[in-house]
């Protein structure tokens, strides 16, 4: 009886787990497979069309990268500095415990809240309208707490012995942070940054609220005050709201491109970390 | 007790500079030292300022959401907002109950589907699968967490909904069930990986003890591993729950976006997040309609902060246990 | 012999715990002084006071004075970084940075402003020679320091400490994590180094203290019980507690 139960259990675990995992993979492969064969450069860099067939995703794709870049320019220095503060300088008291809860809370607030905040701040208070600037800043706010936490945890994970060794050689605090703590925690921080940038790249709710669902309609528009529809938003917009006859094809191709880029982010950004870990493991 | 030479001799040569090398301002490196000191101080200030900035953002989010949301109550009684199911802003009806209900029902349904499956996957990864297979699958599951929600929504819209239509024979299958299935796929990697880590972290001695008493794997997993890992599993479930409550675009694409109470799994409805994102772009900022949407956002904010508190408490308990 | 380090009425508290009680002693230069005693007796705490590493533990307060070459190291005019440069430290666990062998040794000199490649090469070589490691690693200075064996890592840490040209070298149970052969090498190294450096070592191993040191200090419960020439302390202890300890009756 027991043996039979055990048998059934093992078989169920294998079946359910493998089915689920294969199912999710099949879905993702399906997206890539449906979108990629008909992908052309014209589509990737072409201008979108509101009414006729054959529109491209050029400006949306550009906006995705541009806003990602801008948001990281804002969030990375601030987030890393705040993380260093929490890991290295912050005293151990109730006040700082509050700050940590703040950061943790902020990291798990639904993204749409950042969108609402972005509207209140950039659209309403500063009267900017829906802009790339507002979208990028809201994205930065979204990622700031994540980067802060990742940095703090990565620095805390550096063995104390290394800090002690550095201080014992007469290093100042800043020298220790710059030459020992940051290099040793870099691979964890980079992994965190890659997750954050993947999230920013694929984020759509925040962008719809703060940067809108249209582009300026021209390629390479660096103007911070242009409307900033991104690829992720475009995918939703074309599928749900647009009236172009080839919406189905456009959204299939957009989905494939979006998925591919996000996966590439996750993989490529982590390669240096993998290589590094591998090197250290081999050496140790 | 001190038998060694008396300390009267102060003229010993230590690198030619008795004791002076360690005094401030006596070294040749004075300029460099000062520069280092200034760098240190300014770096510290930059770090403090950044931490303050992060906190300011949370506080101003709370402030903006609350200040804007609370204005709703100038023209809408709280009882109407929280308990009426009639959402018709064009005619001045602001009953948000149907959205609150939608969010709660959607989250519950999502967890009902995803938790058992995730636990199977977690047990598979930590206990059943050969090591090489779990080592290959883990990073891949981690990758799934990073896939944008619109992609999941797109999958739901183009594959799941037609599929449900075929199965049920209905015209309209947008609604809670479709949304819950999409969300389940989204939170599955999160819950299963965190539970997997929690189960893998159960000390081997517990497992050994159970097997040594003649327990089968089935018994060991259910009586020893899962109970010992429960706080970690709970943590994973809460994270999954937070994601389900706050998810916007994937839900928007499959839930139907109709402000009516979902009394059936296949009835198009709307939840807090989807209603906010669909309506806010078309609403003037200074209107009761907009205030009500901000109040809904404030609700979401409070719920997600509460969940953080719960997680904190759980972690503290986990440390104590 | 002349005293390099003079400790006077030193009291140290961790919060309300009185870790060091009214310690006074002189430590002579260019010799090896060993601190022995059961764990928790304060020997490591005193050692870490000598380069102010205790400052990093919150809640520590120090009273009394420690003078190194006549300068009170807890005085207001002291540059802690320069102090630590002058008083090197080797820890219980070998703790090389996850960098190359070369970069580990060059770490200290770089901190203190040396950037010339030529100068650094010189310092790295002389420090590694000083730590008796040069011959083993000279052909792969670019390799990760973590690829070395435990004993080699510890000698690398000694080389790293020597690279900033200290006067004093503190060794905090520096051999307790090593195998007997590596331990022996480090002990031999210490014997050579005392020609140029003042060495203070904490050891949980009485035999090591007897083999290596010139003076030995026996600690118990945060107090100095006995301080004497090593030979004298081990052959003819004045205090009953010292005798009990070295004959293995406790600790």
């Amino acid at each position: 009886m027991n043996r039979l139960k055990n048998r059934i259990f093992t078989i169920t675990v294998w079946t359910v787990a493998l089915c689920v995992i294969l199912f999710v993979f099949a879905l993702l492969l399906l997206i890539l497979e449906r979108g990629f064969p008909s992908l052309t450069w014209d589509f990737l860099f072409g201008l979108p069309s509101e009414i006729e067939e054959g529109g491209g995703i050029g400006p949306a794709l550009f906006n995705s990268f541009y806003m990602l870049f801008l948001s990281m320019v804002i969030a990375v220095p601030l987030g890393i500095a705040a993380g260093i503060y929490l890991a290295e300088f912050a005293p151990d008291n109730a006040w700082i415990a509050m700050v940590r809860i703040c950061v943790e809370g902020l990291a798990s607030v639904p993204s749409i809240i950042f969108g609402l905040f972005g509207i209140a701040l950039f659209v309403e208070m500063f009267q900017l309208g829906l802009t790339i600037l507002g979208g990028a800043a809201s994205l930065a706010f979204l990622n700031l707490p994540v980067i802060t936490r990742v940095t703090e945890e990565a620095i805390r994970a550096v063995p104390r012995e290394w800090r002690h060794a550095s201080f014992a050689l007469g290093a100042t605090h800043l020298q220790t942070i710059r030459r020992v703590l940051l290099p040793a925690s870099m691979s964890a921080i980079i992994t965190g940054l890659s997750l954050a940038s993947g999230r920013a790249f694929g984020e759509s709710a925040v962008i719809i609220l703060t940067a809108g669902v249209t582009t300026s309609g021209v390629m390479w528009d660096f103007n911070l005050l242009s409307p900033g529809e991104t690829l992720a938003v475009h995918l939703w917009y074309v599928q749900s709201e647009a009236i172009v006859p080839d919406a189905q094809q456009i959204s299939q191709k957009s989905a494939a491109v979006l998925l591919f880029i996000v996966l590439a982010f996750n993989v490529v950004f982590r390669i240096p970390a993998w290589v590094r870990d591998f090197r250290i493991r081999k050496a140790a | 007790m001190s038998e060694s030479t008396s300390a009267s001799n102060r003229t010993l040569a230590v690198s030619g500079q008795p004791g002076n090398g360690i005094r401030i301002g006596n070294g040749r490196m004075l300029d460099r030292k000062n520069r280092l000191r200034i760098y240190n101080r300014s770096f510290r200030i930059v770090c403090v300022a950044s931490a303050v900035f992060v906190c300011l953002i949370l506080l101003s989010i709370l402030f903006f959401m609350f200040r804007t949301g609370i204005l709703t109550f100038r023209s809408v009684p709280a009882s109407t907002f929280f308990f009426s199911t009639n959402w018709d802003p064009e005619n001045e009806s602001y009953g948000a109950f149907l959205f609150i209900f939608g969010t709660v029902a959607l989250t519950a349904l999502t967890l009902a589907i995803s938790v058992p499956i995730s636990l199977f996957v977690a047990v598979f990864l930590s206990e059943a699968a050969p090591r090489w297979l779990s080592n290959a699958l883990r990073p891949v599951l981690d990758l799934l967490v990073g896939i944008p929600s619109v992609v999941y929504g797109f999958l739901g819209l183009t594959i799941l909904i037609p599929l449900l239509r075929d199965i049920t024979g209905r015209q309209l299958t947008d609604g809670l069930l479709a949304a819950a299935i999409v969300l389940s796929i989204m939170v599955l990697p999160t819950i299963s990986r965190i539970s997997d880590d929690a189960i893998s972290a159960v000390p081997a001695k517990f497992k050994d003890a159970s097997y040594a008493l003649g327990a089968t794997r089935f018994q060991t997993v259910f009586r020893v591993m899962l109970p010992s890992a429960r706080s970690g599993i709970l943590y994973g479930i809460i994270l999954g729950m937070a994601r389900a409550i706050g998810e916007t675009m994937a839900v928007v694409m499959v839930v139907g976006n109709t402000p009516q109470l979902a009394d059936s799994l296949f009835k198009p409805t709307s939840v807090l997040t989807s209603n906010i994102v669909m309506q806010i772009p078309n609403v003037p900022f200074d209107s009761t309609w907009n205030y009500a949407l901000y109040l809904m956002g404030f609700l979401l904010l409070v719920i997600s902060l509460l969940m953080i508190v719960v997680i904190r408490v759980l972690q503290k308990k986990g440390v104590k246990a | 012999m002349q005293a390099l380090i003079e400790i006077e009425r030193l009291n140290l508290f961790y919060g309300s715990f009185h870790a060091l009680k009214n310690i006074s002693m002189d430590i002579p230069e260019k010799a090896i002084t060993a601190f022995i005693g059961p764990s928790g007796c304060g020997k490591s705490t005193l050692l870490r006071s000598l380069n102010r590493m205790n400052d990093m533990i919150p809640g520590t307060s120090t009273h009394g004075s420690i003078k190194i070459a006549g300068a009170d190291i807890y005085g207001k005019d002291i540059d802690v970084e320069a102090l630590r440069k002058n008083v090197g430290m080797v820890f219980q666990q070998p703790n090389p940075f996850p960098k190359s062998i070369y970069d580990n040794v060059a770490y200290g000199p770089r901190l203190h402003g040396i950037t010339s490649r030529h100068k650094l090469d010189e310092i790295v070589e002389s420090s590694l020679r000083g730590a008796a490691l040069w011959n083993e690693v000279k052909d792969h200075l670019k390799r990760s320091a973590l690829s070395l064996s435990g004993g080699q890592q510890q000698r690398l840490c000694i080389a790293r400490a020597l690279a900033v040209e200290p006067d004093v070298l503190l060794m905090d149970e520096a051999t307790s994590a090593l195998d007997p052969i590596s331990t022996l090498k480090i002990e031999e190294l210490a014997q050579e180094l005392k020609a140029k450096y003042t060495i203070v070592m904490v050891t949980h191993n009485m035999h090591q203290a007897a083999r290596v040191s010139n003076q030995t200090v026996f600690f118990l419960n945060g107090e100095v019980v006995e301080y004497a020439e090593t030979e004298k302390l081990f052959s003819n202890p004045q205090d009953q507690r010292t005798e009990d300890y070295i004959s293995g009756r406790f600790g």
Side-chain angles (χ1 to χ4, degrees), chain B residues 8-43:
Chain B
S8 61
N9 192 338
R10 300 282 157 103
T11 56
L12 39 90
V14 184
S15 311
Q17 282 179 307
N20 278 345
I22 61 174
R23 287 208 172 96
I24 293 171
N26 280 325
R28 274 170 304 163
M29 317 275 267
L30 181 60
D31 282 354
R32 199 184 127 73
K33 279 313 296 194
N34 278 337
R35 216 169 58 228
L36 283 181
R37 220 163 280 274
I38 291 165
Y39 286 163
N40 257 297
R41 197 156 305 163
S42 28
F43 179 70

Side-chain angles (χ1 to χ4, degrees), chain C residues 18-19 21 38 40-42 219-223:
Chain C
H18 200 171
K21 297 169 191 160
C41 65
F219 287 77
L220 196 59
N221 299 330
E223 288 176 87

